[in-house]
Amino acid sequence: MEHILGNNWTVTPAGGSTGEAYYAQTEGKRLFLKRNSSPFLAVLSAEGIVPKLVWTKRLENGDVITAQEWLEGRELQPEEMDYPRVAALLSKIHHSTELLDMLMRLGKHPLTPDEVLKDIKDNQTVLNQVDPHMEVSVAIDFLQQRVQDVRHDKHVVCHCDTNHNNWLLSAEDQLYLIDWDNAMVADPALDLGMLLHSYIPLDKWDDWLKEYGIVPDENLYQRMIWYAVSQSLAFIQWHQMRGEYDEAALRLRKLNRVMTREGIIE
């Protein structure tokens, strides 16, 4: 990265799952760099959803480097996820026709529950040979039984990982949602289900969804449950396939809590 910026820049890895992100700084200037970010980043920046995009450069090998503002700030704490501004920003994302048009132009087709279930079952066929879990089998049976009931014809841009550490609150009190590598076009219940089940007490769901801008009904609740279970399974499988068994075990405990609360298991 140094050869792109010049010798007077100090570049350090920023961590993350892909290992393709870096912090760069020199006197009076700081940037967040990423290799091969999606063109989607430019629209997210224009909408004020991620920190400002400063420049984009294409290298001779075809790689694309993007530079964003490196902001002073912090990630949200789990207990802060019930802030009205979180619901408001997620609503803005889900209702943005600009984001949806761009993601569709990039070739993302609407993700259906049937596709989600097929991917989970295909992955689990392999993983069961290594590390089978009874709870995972129960969860997949639940998804199979309900898949016909959760099909939905309204699709939006979904972040697909609304974990609290992807919400950045800047020193200027501006809230951003970062790390869009897994974004999909899908049922908004995909984002809502995992966020509410993970962070919002059940007795506050109606108030949170009011801030989001909708009056919930039973169908929405059932779709949120379905996607909370399916996303939990997808994360468990992802960590297992990477050999990250401690993180997979943590995700499995979260899945158990969701299924216990919803009466899927006792």
Side-chain angles (χ1 to χ4, degrees):
M1 287 290 180
E2 287 86 347
H3 69 280
I4 301 170
L5 297 166
N7 294 331
N8 57 331
W9 287 81
T10 301
V11 179
T12 55
S17 60
T18 63
E20 297 287 352
Y22 306 87
Y23 295 121
Q25 58 183 327
T26 188
E27 292 184 10
K29 295 181 181 179
R30 299 190 303 173
L31 296 172
F32 176 76
L33 307 179
K34 195 159 187 181
R35 187 188 303 272
N36 294 330
S37 287
S38 167
F40 191 47
L41 185 64
V43 184
L44 291 167
S45 172
E47 293 277 306
I49 293 163
V50 300
K52 183 180 178 181
L53 181 64
V54 180
W55 51 254
T56 300
K57 294 183 180 179
R58 181 175 294 276
L59 306 184
E60 291 182 1
N61 65 359
D63 285 351
V64 175
I65 306 299
T66 54
Q68 292 173 261
E69 288 183 322
W70 174 9
L71 298 174
E72 288 288 351
R74 62 173 180 83
E75 66 185 37
L76 289 188
Q77 297 302 308
E79 61 272 14
E80 294 175 313
M81 293 294 285
D82 68 351
Y83 284 6
R85 63 169 64 184
V86 173
L89 182 53
L90 191 60
S91 179
K92 175 182 177 179
I93 292 163
H94 285 173
H95 289 91
S96 172
T97 56
E98 289 80 5
L99 294 181
L100 181 59
D101 289 346
M102 172 57 83
L103 213 51
M104 294 288 282
R105 286 202 299 272
L106 292 173
K108 296 286 188 180
H109 70 278
L111 183 67
T112 67
D114 302 86
E115 291 172 311
V116 172
L117 180 58
K118 182 180 185 304
D119 285 346
I120 288 172
K121 291 170 69 175
D122 288 348
N123 289 336
Q124 201 59 40
T125 298
V126 176
L127 291 170
N128 276 342
Q129 302 173 29
V130 180
D131 191 20
H133 289 278
M134 181 274 291
E135 303 97 319
V136 169
S137 178
V138 171
I140 292 175
D141 286 345
F142 166 79
L143 296 179
Q144 183 72 63
Q145 293 166 10
R146 301 288 185 89
V147 67
Q148 294 186 7
D149 301 329
V150 296
R151 293 173 183 145
H152 189 61
D153 59 3
K154 178 175 174 54
H155 298 99
V156 304
V157 169
C158 287
H159 181 274
C160 299
D161 187 8
T162 54
N163 194 291
H164 69 95
N165 55 23
N166 283 328
W167 296 81
L168 173 67
L169 186 63
S170 76
E172 287 73 37
D173 201 40
Q174 177 69 39
L175 183 65
Y176 300 99
L177 180 56
I178 60 174
D179 195 356
W180 282 84
D181 290 345
N182 298 314
M184 299 291 295
V185 176
D187 183 342
L190 189 155
D191 279 344
L192 293 169
M194 198 67 176
L195 192 154
L196 268 69
H197 275 282
S198 297
Y199 298 109
I200 310 302
L202 189 59
D203 61 355
K204 294 186 177 180
W205 280 22
D206 285 358
D207 290 339
W208 195 97
L209 289 167
K210 184 184 297 183
E211 297 289 348
Y212 172 87
I214 59 174
V215 177
D217 57 23
E218 184 60 27
N219 179 257
L220 174 62
Y221 282 135
Q222 292 306 314
R223 286 165 27 229
M224 288 197 299
I225 294 167
W226 196 94
Y227 279 108
V229 171
S230 64
Q231 270 202 295
S232 294
L233 284 172
F235 280 119
I236 291 166
Q237 293 177 338
W238 188 76
H239 288 297
Q240 286 179 324
M241 288 186 285
R242 290 167 57 92
E244 298 168 350
Y245 297 110
D246 289 345
E247 188 64 31
L250 177 63
R251 294 282 187 172
L252 186 62
R253 289 194 292 273
K254 291 181 179 180
L255 173 63
N256 278 331
R257 287 198 294 271
V258 171
M259 293 200 298
T260 300
R261 183 163 69 179
E262 296 299 332
I264 301 169
I265 59 174
E266 296 182 357

